[in-house]
Amino acid sequence: GMFSMSAGGERSLVPVSRSHPPGDSGREDEAIEAVARYWHVTPNWVDAQTVPLFDGMKERGRWSSESFAQPFEGLARSLAKAGKSLGASIALDGYGGDFLFQVSRVYLADLLSQGKLLRAIGEWHAMDRRREGMPGFVRYGVQPLLPRWAKRRLSSVRGSRAMRSSMERGVPPWISRRFEREHSFAERFAALGPDSQPGSTAVDREAQFYLTHQFFARINARMSGFALDHGVELRSPLLDSRVVRFALSRPRSERNDVGDQKRLLRASMRDLLPESVLAPRVGKSGTLTSYFAQHMWKDGLRRLTQMLPARELAALGVVDSDALTRAIDEYRRSGMSYPHVDALFCTLQAETWVRSRSISAASEPATIAIGSS
């Protein structure tokens, strides 16, 4: 929602949202329309299909002080521009809803730590919609309880799959192993990841991770900056300190009960939203997985091919250019099922950023700084 100001000084709420095609993981058009009808307003749409993923990538590389790029910058800017065209100056988002009012399946580890093995297995079978079976149960229920030395020992067993903590991603195959060791990837995640956070339960540690890790704060700050570029101030009502304190005081069952998530948040909206919107959902909607995958498969694959060899990152010892070439070829064969698409995006952004910085530095006249002793 966005606030617009009338000539008489009165504020009105203007609904602005993304529209995705049927079958897309981001589609919530019907739910948004139901809410709008409930409140007798008309939604304003931004067609997500028309918003490019890589718009302005080279220009960003010249002025940005870091290679980190938010893949959904284009959507954020499009929403801000749409709101501004309607007279809005303030935008409200739902940031914090996932962090505060739901929890992942990692809560199974808490059931196990309490000796409730049969209950944990029963709940896992009830919510295992992706048919991950016992390996999935081990990942969510057992691994969070293992000390780090045990995970390393089990990962070193010949033929076993590396045991990773919750939310820990595997290093893509084109990243230099020497670079990985020198920068202590595994150790850094162990020190900053969910398992290392303060808290007596896995549920508490996950919430602490979401609310304090710099990655999420950087994302939110970037989104606010994109909106401000177009004259719109972005606000997150759910991060009000009173809401945060209340949400964190509530029991886990209100955040996830056998896969039924955000139960407290939905209950608080009863009589304010239509029942069809408040009903439990079979799967998560509103995600940008399909948007990202489709743009990477089209424009992204072309840009990745043109990027080869990644001479700047290879010269810095970050990537193995031959391994990266093989990975892009595998992505071309595998399509959207390739497991490291997000890492390919980050590699493309980093290589483009370093090249832009190198060109800018080479084009600037040499200067000598003279100081007094």
Side-chain angles (χ1 to χ4, degrees), residues 326-365:
R326 291 194 294 271
I328 294 174
D329 287 340
E330 184 178 349
Y331 175 39
R332 186 178 291 107
R333 293 192 299 270
S334 304
M336 296 180 187
S337 64
Y338 183 68
H340 301 293
V341 182
D342 53 346
L344 286 175
F345 173 83
C346 293
T347 302
L348 174 60
Q349 290 282 1
E351 175 70 15
T352 304
W353 180 81
V354 177
R355 289 185 186 183
S356 297
R357 304 285 288 184
S358 300
I359 293 172
S360 298
S363 63
E364 293 175 357

Side-chain angles (χ1 to χ4, degrees), residues 82-280:
K84 191 64 178 180
S85 69
L86 296 167
S89 58
I90 297 173
L92 306 178
D93 65 14
Y95 186 80
D98 290 350
F99 302 171
L100 296 170
F101 294 99
Q102 75 175 29
V103 69
S104 74
R105 292 168 285 186
V106 75
Y107 83 85
L108 296 171
D110 293 333
L111 293 179
L112 286 180
S113 69
Q114 297 163 9
K116 300 176 181 177
L117 174 61
L118 294 180
R119 178 179 171 186
I121 292 176
E123 294 207 8
W124 169 245
H125 285 316
M127 71 175 79
D128 184 20
R129 299 187 181 94
R130 291 183 290 185
R131 300 292 185 268
E132 296 178 67
M134 286 308 295
F137 179 76
V138 170
R139 178 184 179 189
Y140 296 107
V142 178
Q143 285 186 207
L145 302 177
L146 296 176
R148 190 160 170 268
W149 66 264
K151 293 177 185 177
R152 287 201 306 267
R153 183 72 59 84
L154 289 170
S155 296
S156 65
V157 176
R158 184 178 179 84
S160 70
R161 185 179 178 182
M163 297 194 76
R164 296 197 296 270
S165 299
S166 174
M167 302 183 204
E168 181 180 7
R169 297 183 180 182
V171 179
W174 60 88
I175 296 296
S176 162
R177 298 303 127 187
R178 178 178 178 181
F179 183 83
E180 178 187 349
R181 290 193 302 270
E182 289 178 348
H183 292 272
S184 308
F185 281 19
E187 291 75 12
R188 289 169 66 184
F189 185 87
L192 299 173
D195 294 348
S196 66
Q197 300 301 313
S200 59
T201 67
V203 170
D204 292 339
R205 292 190 289 272
E206 182 178 280
Q208 185 77 9
F209 171 74
Y210 274 131
L211 291 170
T212 62
H213 196 282
Q214 62 177 340
F215 174 78
F216 304 104
R218 290 168 72 192
I219 293 292
N220 206 21
R222 287 292 177 89
M223 291 297 189
S224 296
F226 300 151
L228 281 176
D229 285 344
H230 303 285
V232 175
E233 179 186 346
L234 186 61
R235 297 182 184 178
S236 303
L238 291 177
L239 292 186
D240 183 288
S241 61
R242 296 166 296 179
V243 176
V244 173
R245 286 195 300 269
F246 173 73
L248 294 180
S249 71
R250 304 305 301 162
R252 183 272 307 168
S253 60
E254 294 181 351
R255 289 184 260 174
N256 190 335
D257 183 32
V258 197
D260 182 13
Q261 304 196 53
K262 296 186 180 178
R263 300 173 70 237
L264 174 62
L265 189 61
R266 298 203 316 270
S268 69
M269 292 292 105
R270 189 144 288 122
D271 298 328
L272 295 174
L273 294 175
E275 286 299 319
S276 62
V277 174
L278 297 176

Side-chain angles (χ1 to χ4, degrees), residues 57-64 352-353 356-357 359-360:
M57 185 171 71
K58 289 186 177 180
E59 288 72 13
R60 186 194 65 82
R62 294 191 178 94
W63 58 259
S64 176
T352 304
W353 180 81
S356 297
R357 304 285 288 184
I359 293 172
S360 298

Side-chain angles (χ1 to χ4, degrees), residues 310-330:
R311 57 179 185 273
E312 298 289 350
L313 294 180
L316 292 170
V318 178
V319 306
D320 179 325
S321 189
D322 292 338
L324 178 59
T325 300
R326 291 194 294 271
I328 294 174
D329 287 340
E330 184 178 349

